[in-house]
Amino acid sequence: MSLHTPLIAGNWKMNKTATEGVELAQAVAAAVGIESAVQVVLCPPFTALAAAVAAVEGTHLSIGAQNMHDKTNGAFTGEVSAAMLRDLHVTYVILGHSERRSLFGEDDAFINRKVNAALAASLKPILCVGELLAEREAGTTNAVVKRQLELGLAGVPAAKAEQVIIAYEPVWAIGTGKTATPAMAQEVHAFIRSLLVAQFGAETAARVRILYGGSMKPDNADALLAEHDIDGGLIGGAALEAKGFVDLVRSAARSLSR
Ligand code: 13P
């Protein structure tokens, strides 16, 4: 864990109606809404964003979207723009999640346009990178992560880099119950940090938060968050009920005192 505020984000994926989302957001806010040591971000589906923003008003919790389009407006049926998210007081947006890449055909160039569009609209992008199982087995993890990171961050000025959050999510660990060991995750996180140093310089790179995602749960979070370059988590399954998610926030708070 480095010097900056750790960040725990819940990616609800296609789960929770707006009504259910309010319940979950209120329960999380009641437990950790005044916890200032950890930045907590909830990322509901589009349909629950407005209600979630209202539910966490007055707390330090933030709301993020799970995707957006790179264009500002126009004939893009089914899509939403950065300005539409900002208008709802959404402040983060997950971009390039492996499910967007594999199920919806998003490539690095498209994801890069979204990253720059998000920054232009003062939204904080959470850029996801990570290798498939076959890529890890073939020994190409670093090459894959390097490509996704460098193409994803192309054109991002150093002055805005601190607004970007990177999430390392090994695809084989997502929703599978298989977690990268702390040492495996730290190795890739350190590699990502070195790429950020090369692009933005050491001082800025040290301020970029790099989250781990992939079956992070209360029983493995302490060990992962103890690693030097793991600055928080992007949580899927364990973010869907308040207790487990709150435990993860507490785990991140504990990592600060170690
Ligand atoms: P799980 O925590 O369910 O493995 O999901 C991780 C993820 O994809 C978060 O974006």
Side-chain angles (χ1 to χ4, degrees), residues 9-235:
N11 176 8
W12 296 1
K13 308 194 179 183
M14 197 172 76
N15 296 291
K16 306 291 178 189
T17 62
T19 309
E20 293 163 344
V22 165
E23 228 169 84
L24 177 53
Q26 283 173 340
V28 173
V32 291
I34 46 149
E35 171 92 65
S36 59
V38 179
Q39 177 68 57
V40 181
V41 184
L42 306 178
C43 303
F46 289 133
T47 47
L49 285 172
V53 167
V56 303
E57 202 187 334
T59 74
H60 91 290
L61 269 53
S62 300
I63 301 298
Q66 298 172 19
N67 184 30
M68 56 169 245
H69 198 269
D70 67 301
K71 300 291 188 296
T72 52
N73 64 286
F76 301 101
T77 302
E79 295 292 321
V80 304
S81 71
M84 292 169 187
L85 297 175
R86 285 292 305 173
D87 185 59
L88 294 180
H89 303 289
V90 167
T91 46
Y92 290 80
V93 59
I94 298 170
L95 296 174
H97 191 279
S98 68
E99 287 147 21
R100 298 299 316 170
R101 294 176 191 262
S102 67
L103 302 174
F104 302 98
E106 294 194 7
D107 63 14
D108 289 308
F110 187 31
I111 293 161
N112 175 244
R113 291 198 300 275
K114 295 180 190 220
V115 168
N116 283 301
L119 288 170
S122 299
L123 280 172
K124 296 186 176 79
I126 301 175
L127 171 64
C128 302
V129 300
E131 80 287 0
L132 305 170
L133 181 59
E135 291 166 336
R136 176 159 282 269
E137 287 175 349
T140 57
T141 296
N142 282 6
V144 169
V145 166
K146 184 174 196 287
R147 189 200 74 228
Q148 293 174 337
L149 195 84
E150 290 181 348
L151 295 179
L153 294 179
V156 171
K160 289 206 169 166
E162 274 181 47
Q163 304 300 311
V164 178
I165 291 111
I166 306 297
Y168 169 57
E169 300 206 309
V171 179
W172 48 270
I174 295 178
T176 58
K178 286 186 206 147
T179 326
T181 63
M184 278 161 81
Q186 165 58 24
E187 194 180 336
V188 181
H189 280 233
F191 176 63
I192 290 172
R193 188 87 62 198
S194 75
L195 296 171
L196 295 171
V197 169
Q199 185 168 352
F200 301 116
E203 202 174 313
T204 298
R207 292 182 196 281
V208 176
R209 282 170 295 190
I210 308 175
L211 314 181
Y212 171 79
S215 299
M216 198 190 238
K217 303 268 185 305
D219 64 2
N220 58 30
D222 279 351
L224 285 160
L225 293 166
E227 294 293 339
H228 181 260
D229 289 294
I230 301 184
D231 307 315
L234 181 55
I235 319 300

